[in-house]
Amino acid sequence: MGLKREKLSHLRFFFHDIVSGRNPTAVRVAEAAVTNSSTTGFGAVFMIDDPLTVGPSMESKSVGRAQGIYASADLADVGLLMVLNFAFADGKFNGSNLSVLGRNAVFSAVRELPIVGGSGVFRFARGYAQARTLDFNLTTGDAVVEYNVYVFHY
């Protein structure tokens, strides 16, 4: 299969989830009958194409996009089902993707999400991503999240 020796890479980047304004990067595409009366937004489904940057500012250098879906999947707490790809568009990971599938307990200080695969440089990837919210605007819903990703790949 042409596999080389497995490596461990540590990536750090910032995820900008913009749900407000004229150019949102996350949009609600579906909801359940109970979504608007639920304290957790249960049943809301969002499609995302969020910028990934090297620093917490939107003006910092872009390294790629987070593309996929997240959905409110918890009746009692704000817990999201995350199904997304980190699609890298710069540097040695340009053209490569990491696939994430897991639960994001939004109001926990640190969340851990599994890396379940990848492509390009990250073919056969496995590992985890730690997410920490740096900024969350209660009025708009916009958020900046720091990701530290630890991934084994060939």
Side-chain angles (χ1 to χ4, degrees):
M1 292 194 322
L3 297 180
K4 302 173 191 164
R5 184 172 177 186
E6 192 174 44
K7 299 182 257 193
L8 172 64
S9 292
H10 171 220
L11 293 77
R12 179 176 179 245
F13 50 82
F14 297 83
F15 173 107
H16 301 268
D17 195 49
I18 305 162
V19 296
S20 67
R22 293 183 303 159
N23 298 306
T25 61
V27 296
R28 186 184 289 199
V29 295
E31 62 185 48
V34 300
T35 299
N36 292 329
S37 61
S38 168
T39 59
T40 65
F42 181 73
V45 179
F46 290 80
M47 183 66 64
I48 67 167
D49 185 10
D50 290 342
L52 302 176
T53 61
V54 297
S57 168
M58 270 293 288
E59 286 73 42
S60 60
K61 183 179 177 184
S62 173
V63 294
R65 310 290 291 187
Q67 298 171 324
I69 296 172
Y70 62 78
S72 179
D74 192 322
L75 286 165
D77 296 310
V78 180
L80 303 176
L81 167 65
M82 307 285 289
V83 181
L84 58 95
N85 287 310
F86 293 134
F88 297 100
D90 188 64
K92 66 181 178 180
F93 303 129
N94 184 23
S96 298
N97 299 294
L98 285 171
S99 298
V100 177
L101 172 64
R103 183 175 190 276
N104 183 347
V106 174
F107 292 118
S108 294
V110 179
R111 287 91 67 200
E112 190 171 293
L113 301 160
I115 302 295
V116 297
S119 66
V121 171
F122 297 119
R123 188 175 298 129
F124 293 112
R126 61 188 171 84
Y128 66 97
Q130 289 182 324
R132 290 177 182 80
T133 301
L134 299 182
D135 185 35
F136 178 69
N137 185 316
L138 287 171
T139 304
T140 65
D142 295 350
V144 177
V145 179
E146 176 186 16
Y147 274 89
N148 278 284
V149 177
Y150 302 89
V151 60
F152 287 99
H153 60 97
Y154 292 98

